[in-house]
Amino acid sequence: MPDLYLLKKILALTLLLQSQVKVLSRIVLSKSMVAIVGASLTKFGKRSEDIFTLTKESSSPLVRKFREEIDFVLVSNSYSGEFNSISGLNNLVTTYLSLDYVPSLRVDNTSGSGGTSLLVAKSLLDSRVARVVLVIGVEKMSTKGTREVTSVISSLLPPRERSLGISVPSLASIMTKIYMKKYGATRESIAQVAVKNHRNGARNPYAHVRKEVSLEEVLSSPLIAEPLRQYEFCPISDGSASLLLVRDEEAESFTDRPVYLRGIGTASDSSHVSSREDILEMRAVREAGRQAMRQARVDKVDFAELHDMATILEIVEAEALGLLERGKGWAQTWEGITEVDGEMPINTSGGLNSKGHPIGASGVAQAVEAFLQIRGEAGERQVKGARFGLAMSMAGFGNSATVSVFGDEP
Amino acid sequence: MPDLYLLKKILALTLLLQSQVKVLSRIVLSKSMVAIVGASLTKFGKRSEDIFTLTKESSSPLVRKFREEIDFVLVSNSYSGEFNSISGLNNLVTTYLSLDYVPSLRVDNTSGSGGTSLLVAKSLLDSRVARVVLVIGVEKMSTKGTREVTSVISSLLPPRERSLGISVPSLASIMTKIYMKKYGATRESIAQVAVKNHRNGARNPYAHVRKEVSLEEVLSSPLIAEPLRQYEFCPISDGSASLLLVRDEEAESFTDRPVYLRGIGTASDSSHVSSREDILEMRAVREAGRQAMRQARVDKVDFAELHDMATILEIVEAEALGLLERGKGWAQTWEGITEVDGEMPINTSGGLNSKGHPIGASGVAQAVEAFLQIRGEAGERQVKGARFGLAMSMAGFGNSATVSVFGDEP
């Protein structure tokens, strides 16, 4: 029966090929996802410790447990030269943590460094350069006074805008005025972002400003950039946050509750804020969000961490990401939708506004909050049934943005 | 004939599966290689232009030709804050190059930033975050005097060593004395590195110091760190170098002569040089080299670009990489093995020693030299029949190293 013989051979070959396709599919598909298997952070605030001690404080719970496994360290930091007179921070940090033989690099994208570090970590894992990546975000800013810090941070503005005396707070001021005029937003609704975020921050043991503030207190605090007031801006903070990332297929050997990075997108916009067609249209945020949501295969998230360096930004970003309705974000904020128990909780951690904004650490800390929320470990500020969350980490004033979508399953 | 019908179906299925396996294999295998499809650089030296103009000068031949294709920009730079009072350099550069909508980040690993950028570029391509990556290395250092530049660069040393007054040149001095004593190396053989590299640099239109120097001139130049003299150290330079990278399967649609990054390895060592068991054993260099050569599947390269910040380093690094014999690198240098027409040409570009060392640009420029050599476009300094080349980009004083192996075929 030669025909049957042939048939058998072909069947065997088919099965072999099928199994090969399965193996290959697994490799190809698994390439696209990584998981956070550990996360920790320091208390943010004016800290007396130096930058090395802060990195150790945030990373040591992970390093202690997984020292032998870590094979790449990313240090998310922008200003160690300016604020700490230190260069080559990544190599000094690995030596300080007794991880001498672990390769490292410093990722810088100003205030968006943390989100960008997640993107680099994912790439290193995908490309098999690394198996276990430790991301440490850190900034020690309180070495300088407010005036000097503002001046250093303004060095991210294009020379033309800088020479006109424009600063990041002044851009927030312009944005607020245009938003209020265009959409008829009330002044109170914008200040409400600070009320909510301070309420959340008061429930976050790691936050810089752990006190609730009333609407009246926000609106009577010192004027910074008309009409925005002191409580509406992030404080100047020191702090560090750490994450351990692996490929999804290995995640469960590190923890029984991994949090998966289901999607990550990044996009850019003109650094000349003045030349953008519409200052309210945060193109980089919108595009990065679209990419991340598509990749994550989810329609809706249960909470979001946004870049609320100034109150107005939380509203405008949430609109750009489709979390709030375009032009109605102010009203929805006023109605309480973005509260921890609202329909779309935003900045449950307290956000940059109350948790603080140590530049290189901020985006990493957003992912830490997502990790805690999805594992149900966010304590008093826990979002009920949180399964999917989003973090948006932004450089400059929307010059670039990275959006990450996290979930409890791959 | 139901059997024949079944047979036909199975055959069709087999063919389909086979083609799928092919496609998948291609994806899986191609993951491991990327290619340089374009390279250019500025003349290195004391330049009157600002940092933005330098990035434009090096990248514009690539941007002009492939503007629409570029979907990620990596800026390799360490000291824009310290030397140029600029932060967020990557976002300002994309705006300056009218690549506003292209995402970017700054990669920093001090003097090893260029090699590290290649690693990040490869990872972004492997993970499909990007399809076409533009790497721009740049540093504008001449804004400060020699004393200040030395002080800024010493900020990469561990606080303990810094407080003892140790600087990078003083480490080179210690290394030279130990090497000479241990291996009986002559003073002349070490100075010969500078003679050779200046000879090569004189033939490189992009080099900072384009003049030949005699052994006598080297040995009578001002003493910098006993016994090393001025001509034995790299000058302080401004400059920029750019590369365009894609995955290998796309390379030929960009150029008819791509240069393939066949292997890349990275490794780290203690930042406390004083606590290393043997200062002559450059562990990070050796390990990174082993990884890169294994990945590249080659036994031998035809030329190498090394980190000759000081003459002694070229010899010790070449020994660590197995390019020269352990303890005999000095004698082999003296015999002329490392000359352009020798058995193992090293630093045909002139190296850091004569080409110059604009920190963030250096490692990128090494890859540019490899690109030119492998394409046979290195003019007067062309290595005959060069097919495989190696570049070693190093942070600090061997704190970390990245080794890249390039070839004319995948």
Side-chain angles (χ1 to χ4, degrees), chain A residues 10 79 87 100 106 108 268, chain B residues 10 79 87 100 106 108 268:
Chain A
I10 290 171
Y79 294 108
S87 63
D100 269 328
R106 182 169 77 133
D108 171 33
S268 179
Chain B
I10 290 171
Y79 293 108
S87 64
D100 269 328
R106 181 169 78 134
D108 171 33
S268 180

Side-chain angles (χ1 to χ4, degrees), chain B residues 226-285:
Chain B
E226 210 271 309
L228 299 175
R229 291 169 181 271
Q230 189 171 308
Y231 279 126
E232 296 184 276
F233 286 97
C234 57
I236 292 167
S237 308
D238 309 326
S240 178
S242 293
L243 297 170
L244 199 72
L245 288 116
V246 302
R247 283 187 292 277
D248 62 349
E249 72 264 24
E250 289 217 58
E252 289 183 3
S253 66
F254 285 80
T255 173
D256 51 2
R257 273 184 304 164
V259 167
Y260 297 90
L261 176 59
R262 292 178 60 104
I264 185 161
T266 191
S268 180
D269 198 351
S270 176
S271 299
H272 291 123
V273 178
S274 56
S275 73
R276 293 184 199 159
E277 224 172 278
D278 180 355
I279 193 176
L280 301 182
E281 198 198 346
M282 306 206 79
R283 193 193 169 280
V285 175

Side-chain angles (χ1 to χ4, degrees), chain A residues 90-91 94 100 102-105, chain B residues 109-112 116 266-271 276 284-285 288 392-402:
Chain A
N90 53 304
N91 290 305
T94 50
D100 269 328
V102 179
S104 63
L105 67 98
Chain B
N109 204 354
T110 68
S111 46
T116 303
T266 191
S268 180
D269 198 351
S270 176
S271 299
R276 293 184 199 159
V285 175
M392 196 284 291
S393 176
M394 186 170 94
F397 203 78
N399 304 12
S400 90
T402 305

Side-chain angles (χ1 to χ4, degrees), chain A residues 30-38 66 69-72 118 121-126 128 130-135 243-255 257-262 371 410:
Chain A
S30 72
K31 207 170 63 64
S32 65
M33 206 172 297
V34 299
I36 305 176
V37 293
F66 299 110
E69 312 267 2
I70 296 166
D71 62 358
F72 216 105
L118 278 182
K122 177 185 146 50
S123 299
L124 292 172
L125 291 166
D126 280 352
R128 320 252 146 182
R131 213 191 111 234
V132 182
V133 178
L134 173 64
V135 175
L243 296 170
L244 199 73
L245 289 116
V246 302
R247 283 187 292 276
D248 62 349
E249 72 264 24
E250 291 216 55
E252 289 183 2
S253 66
F254 284 80
T255 173
R257 273 185 303 163
V259 167
Y260 297 90
L261 176 60
R262 293 179 59 105
F371 182 82

Side-chain angles (χ1 to χ4, degrees), chain A residues 341-380:
Chain A
D341 58 359
E343 267 175 63
M344 176 46 63
I346 292 179
N347 285 324
T348 54
S349 68
L352 279 47
N353 182 249
S354 150
K355 188 176 56 184
H357 181 30
I359 308 282
S362 267
V364 182
Q366 290 180 328
V368 175
E369 179 71 8
F371 182 82
L372 295 174
Q373 285 287 355
I374 290 171
R375 284 164 60 113
E377 297 170 353
E380 281 187 87

Side-chain angles (χ1 to χ4, degrees), chain A residues 89-115:
Chain A
L89 181 65
N90 53 304
N91 290 305
L92 295 175
V93 162
T94 50
T95 290
Y96 191 82
L97 300 177
S98 301
L99 290 170
D100 269 328
Y101 301 144
V102 179
S104 63
L105 67 98
R106 182 169 77 133
V107 173
D108 171 33
N109 205 354
T110 67
S111 47
S113 300

